[in-house]
Amino acid sequence: MGDRSHTHPGAAGRATAAGPPGSVRNVALVGHSGSGKTTLVEALALTAGAVNRAGRVEDGATVSDHDESERRAGRSVQLSVVPVDWAGCRINLLDTPGYADFVGELRAGLRAADAVLFVVSAAQEAEAVADTTRALWEECAAVGMPGAVVLTHLDTARTPFDELTRVCGRVLGGGDPDALLPLYLPVEGPRGPDGRAPLTGLTGLLTRRIFDYSSGERRELPPDGDQRERLLGARARLIEGIIAESEDETLMDRYLGGGEIDTGTLVRDLRRAVARGSFHPVLTAAPAAPGARQGIGTVELLDLITAGFPAPSERVAPAVTGPDGGVRPAPVCDPAAPLVAEVVKTASDPYVGRISLVRVFSGTLRPDETVHVCGHGVGAPAGGPRPRHEADVRVGALTAPFGKQQRPLDSCGAGDLACVSKLTGARTGDTLSASGDPLLMEPWTLPDPLMPLAVRAHGQADEDKLSQGLSRLVAEDPALRLERNPDTHQVVLWCMGEAHTDVALERLRGRYGVQVDAEPHRVPLRETFAARSAGRGRHVKQSGGHGHYAVCEIEVEPLEPGAGLVFADEVAGGSVPRQFVASVEKGVRAQAARGVAAGYPLVDVRVTLLDGKAHSVDSSDAAFQAAGALALREAAADARVELLEPVADVAVLVPDDYVGAVMGDLSGRRGRVVGTEQATGGRTLVRAEVPEIEIGGYTVDLRSLTHGTGRFDRAYARHEPMPPQLADRLRTSRETAANQA
């Protein structure tokens, strides 16, 4: 296994760069909120000697330092990195948030990692385990991540070890409860007065040895009689699973023929299967007991990471393109190759400023050198040859992350991670490359944020800082989308859920000093005429000198949806002089933009100018504009004006058990279910048309309705008439608000 280093990479004050790419392991810890990921990182850091028993290094930094938004949320909301050294390898542990709102941080961690530890808590009921792990596992499977499953909280288990392993196999292994196999079995101590049996050690299935931690030190012991019987059955299943994944086709014949397969061969084939992602072993871990130097299972876990997880050089880097959009060869994980790196996370420090977490895929990143920053940009045309923003930027100081602590680095080679200060203009997802050879990496995808948060500045002083604060917030978090709605004139942050909105508000106030107020999100409604109508506008005033004289008669008729506003001139005999026809149109369009009934833009009508009167002296452009507006208002007063609301095409993907509840909920939102489709994994895709005013908070409601297993997408379909009773209620509320103002 090699020498095990127990020296933290930055314990002496200045971090040492990692060795060659083959000695680096980038591992993302993935699991539902509360599964124990951060506790596991602390236990691994303690075992590797990166922290002391208090969880601190020499200068007081801790693994679990949280910012204000995390303390308020009571959970991890951002990606953090903790490097440890073990068996001659640098292991970068990437602790990802488990809550669904922070999927952007999760995907950033997966982008930077080469393997995953999927953490599952036994403190949950079996059904809850299935619900909370399925979506997260799909995130890992989508990027083809190899790794292992780690079971935690076995001392407070609601789901026994064997059942939990089967549940994980069924959910994570495509329905086969035997798809995942343990490498170790838990050893429990005597049950206490509370009925709980503490975890005291592990039984190694391949080595047939007990690793006992009950004394605070890891000791190897032979299994006793009771343990041996259970060990043999589990060991046989594990061997069969390893042989099934072996590239040596003769092993199965030898095994079935009664031949003994030596442990070295099994371990070698196991490591190969884990590294290529075809085998996901199950391990068990627990934090160190008071006074102990090692957590239970942490040595075994670190050994598996160093020996079985792939190095960066064994993983295929994302595709890259050149300035002309042409595909370039994939980056080579070689410190001497041309630089290709990516900003996987952006954060702000009150003292240092912007800090970018960078994964180097090729070449070597050094401080004070000039690199080319390329970004896809929000709203960049799909398939477009060039990104929205790019520039040559001078690299600031390089540091090695340790939670929130930063330690100076001289360089960062291929396969490793580093923080870069003051990387001006760089956003999360941007590519860094040599200044003479600009490149752009294939972006990672993010779900569309579907929960709106409308904000306004609290005061005039905040008004000046709001735009800059929002821009910085969106640059840091690609899961946020900023919209300045031209119809409602609201500034809207589109978020992933309620927790995401809380964190966004906290960061605006805490990091950027912008006091903002949240306000109800307004859906852009429209108005239209339900039937043909006519109106006469008369603007006649006399005031000393030149007066104002303009009369026009119009007819308004409804058009098909999407037609907009069409103006037609059918004046005969010059009753409205030609130069004032455009003035009437301008007045009509201005009034239509302001609305004629409830203050929403008027659309899908044809306004025809039929007749009018003018005065040789007192008629003017302004007078006919006013007359046109008056005529449209009079036509609206004599007609039924409908409110049009936007309707969205909604696609909801849910487990089959929740289809009825989801369809009933959509119907209660005035939705029309237009069809269902069977999807993979025992799920159904429900398609419906739902008014957007009814689904502002659907992200939260769907999560509650389906226990976190449902997902949905939506797209604008059209505007259609709102039910009269709802329209009347909305008009009344707007009139009341206007009178109070």
Side-chain angles (χ1 to χ4, degrees):
M1 301 293 291
D3 290 337
R4 291 173 179 164
S5 171
H6 298 284
T7 302
H8 179 253
R14 188 173 189 86
T16 57
S23 66
V24 177
R25 303 290 185 271
N26 297 308
V27 182
L29 282 84
V30 177
H32 60 87
S33 184
S35 61
K37 297 184 298 297
T38 302
T39 302
L40 180 57
V41 170
E42 293 173 342
L44 293 172
L46 174 63
T47 298
V51 297
N52 58 28
R53 292 174 188 169
R56 298 181 179 275
V57 292
E58 281 78 352
D59 56 6
T62 67
V63 172
S64 54
D65 281 335
H66 299 298
D67 66 10
E68 186 62 29
S69 59
E70 289 182 307
R71 284 191 287 270
R72 288 180 180 272
R75 59 172 70 93
S76 296
V77 302
Q78 59 184 346
L79 173 69
S80 64
V81 184
V82 176
V84 301
D85 287 337
W86 187 261
C89 286
R90 169 68 53 80
I91 304 173
N92 292 313
L93 300 170
L94 296 108
D95 186 6
T96 67
Y99 197 63
D101 281 12
F102 306 105
V103 65
E105 298 284 322
L106 167 63
R107 294 192 180 181
L110 294 178
R111 180 70 159 203
D114 302 302
V116 297
L117 289 177
F118 199 84
V119 185
V120 180
S121 172
Q124 289 186 306
E125 299 289 353
E127 182 179 344
V129 170
D131 287 344
T132 57
T133 57
R134 182 179 283 110
L136 288 170
W137 182 258
E138 289 173 352
E139 292 282 348
C140 300
V143 292
M145 277 288 177
V149 176
V150 184
L151 306 184
T152 60
H153 301 152
L154 285 175
D155 55 339
T156 58
R158 295 183 182 178
T159 306
F161 174 83
D162 291 338
E163 182 182 354
L164 185 61
T165 302
R166 287 193 296 270
V167 169
C168 290
R170 188 175 68 250
V171 175
L172 314 182
D176 180 5
D178 298 320
L180 302 183
L181 297 171
L183 293 184
Y184 302 89
L185 299 180
V187 177
E188 297 178 341
R191 293 190 179 275
D194 58 358
R196 296 177 178 176
L199 187 66
T200 61
L202 302 172
T203 301
L205 297 184
L206 293 181
T207 61
R208 289 177 281 199
R209 301 289 288 176
I210 302 295
F211 301 102
D212 181 65
Y213 289 83
S214 59
S215 65
E217 299 288 341
R218 182 177 183 265
R219 298 183 300 160
E220 288 192 25
L221 304 172
D224 60 28
D226 294 337
Q227 295 165 334
R228 189 175 293 109
E229 182 178 351
R230 186 185 179 206
L231 183 154
L232 291 176
R235 186 175 191 273
R237 291 192 296 273
L238 175 62
I239 291 175
E240 291 172 5
I242 294 173
I243 291 176
E245 298 294 338
S246 175
E247 297 175 354
D248 185 351
E249 298 180 357
T250 66
L251 283 185
M252 183 62 75
D253 293 335
R254 286 166 51 193
Y255 180 73
L256 294 177
E260 182 71 20
I261 310 298
D262 66 276
T263 302
T265 299
L266 293 172
V267 170
R268 184 173 59 253
D269 284 342
L270 169 66
R271 290 170 175 172
R272 290 172 178 171
V274 171
R276 67 173 178 263
S278 61
F279 190 87
H280 295 84
V282 178
L283 295 93
T284 300
R293 294 190 302 173
Q294 296 169 334
I296 298 175
T298 53
V299 170
E300 291 75 17
L301 193 48
L302 289 168
D303 283 347
L304 177 68
I305 291 172
T306 55
F309 281 13
S313 54
E314 300 175 71
R315 297 276 294 165
V316 178
V320 295
T321 57
D324 58 354
V327 177
R328 296 286 191 86
V332 178
C333 190
D334 181 352
L339 176 67
V340 181
E342 187 174 40
V343 179
V344 295
K345 176 180 171 57
T346 309
S348 293
D349 185 276
Y351 304 104
V352 180
R354 178 176 293 189
I355 298 176
S356 303
L357 177 64
V358 174
R359 161 73 191 260
V360 180
F361 289 92
S362 176
T364 301
L365 185 66
R366 296 181 176 86
D368 298 324
E369 70 177 2
T370 300
V371 300
H372 191 80
V373 175
C374 258
H376 297 269
V378 178
R386 293 191 67 81
R388 278 294 180 91
H389 63 275
E390 55 182 315
D392 283 341
V393 175
R394 191 174 184 83
V395 175
L398 293 187
T399 54
F402 185 78
K404 289 183 67 176
Q405 188 71 19
Q406 308 295 321
R407 303 177 182 280
L409 265 179
D410 295 325
S411 64
C412 180
D416 204 5
L417 302 169
C419 289
V420 184
S421 64
K422 301 177 182 178
L423 200 59
T424 308
R427 306 174 184 173
T428 300
D430 285 2
T431 304
L432 310 183
S433 56
S435 59
D437 186 20
L439 297 171
L440 186 64
M441 298 194 79
E442 178 185 38
W444 73 79
T445 60
L446 283 171
D448 193 23
L450 297 173
M451 185 166 183
L453 171 65
V455 296
R456 65 171 183 269
H458 183 70
Q460 183 60 46
D462 301 302
E463 188 74 45
D464 300 332
K465 297 185 291 184
L466 179 60
S467 179
Q468 182 181 10
L470 289 172
S471 297
R472 292 174 65 183
L473 188 67
V474 173
E476 290 183 8
D477 187 352
L480 286 171
R481 179 165 55 87
L482 178 62
E483 173 193 16
R484 291 177 172 86
N485 193 293
D487 296 320
T488 64
H489 307 291
Q490 284 187 309
V491 176
V492 182
L493 271 175
W494 288 89
C495 308
M496 302 302 299
E498 280 186 318
H500 201 199
T501 63
D502 292 342
V503 168
L505 289 173
E506 177 60 40
R507 288 177 176 170
L508 277 175
R509 296 162 182 159
R511 286 187 182 180
Y512 310 124
V514 185
Q515 295 298 317
V516 295
D517 298 320
E519 60 182 6
H521 174 246
R522 297 193 293 272
V523 172
L525 303 181
R526 303 282 188 269
E527 298 175 353
T528 194
F529 279 59
R532 189 186 299 265
S533 182
R536 185 172 188 267
R538 184 175 184 275
H539 183 71
V540 178
K541 291 184 179 180
Q542 191 66 41
S543 56
H546 278 302
H548 301 274
Y549 189 93
V551 178
C552 64
E553 297 180 6
I554 63 171
E555 183 181 68
V556 185
E557 57 183 318
L559 296 178
E560 66 277 1
L565 189 150
V566 178
F567 184 85
D569 171 23
E570 293 186 4
V571 174
S575 57
V576 177
R578 304 306 310 162
Q579 69 268 28
F580 294 135
V581 171
S583 302
V584 174
E585 180 179 359
K586 188 182 295 183
V588 166
R589 290 189 180 277
Q591 184 62 55
R594 294 190 296 269
V596 294
Y600 300 107
L602 179 70
V603 296
D604 301 339
V605 294
R606 175 185 283 111
V607 178
T608 304
L609 177 61
L610 301 175
D611 201 359
K613 295 180 181 179
H615 189 277
S616 59
V617 177
D618 293 340
S619 291
S620 64
D621 171 68
F624 271 100
Q625 284 190 46
L630 288 169
L632 186 61
R633 291 203 297 270
E634 183 178 290
D638 294 336
R640 183 167 64 89
V641 177
E642 291 181 328
L643 287 188
L644 302 177
E645 61 180 341
V647 175
D649 285 327
V650 176
V652 188
L653 183 65
V654 293
D656 294 342
D657 294 343
Y658 299 110
V659 170
V662 166
M663 292 175 67
D665 180 72
L666 290 173
S667 298
R669 298 172 185 271
R670 299 189 287 122
R672 296 183 294 273
V673 176
V674 297
T676 60
E677 302 172 18
Q678 197 63 39
T680 59
R683 291 174 298 179
T684 299
L685 185 68
V686 180
R687 298 190 181 277
E689 296 177 343
V690 189
E692 288 191 7
I693 203 170
E694 301 286 350
I695 54 175
Y698 190 57
T699 297
V700 177
D701 297 336
L702 178 64
R703 196 173 292 163
S704 174
L705 188 66
T706 64
H707 299 280
T709 60
R711 291 179 290 173
F712 83 104
D713 296 303
R714 75 181 189 189
Y716 170 78
R718 62 187 175 278
H719 274 71
E720 64 180 34
M722 180 182 286
Q725 66 274 18
L726 293 180
D728 292 342
R729 191 184 312 157
L730 194 60
R731 290 191 186 99
T732 301
S733 64
R734 283 184 65 92
E735 291 172 0
T736 301
N739 293 334
Q740 291 175 348

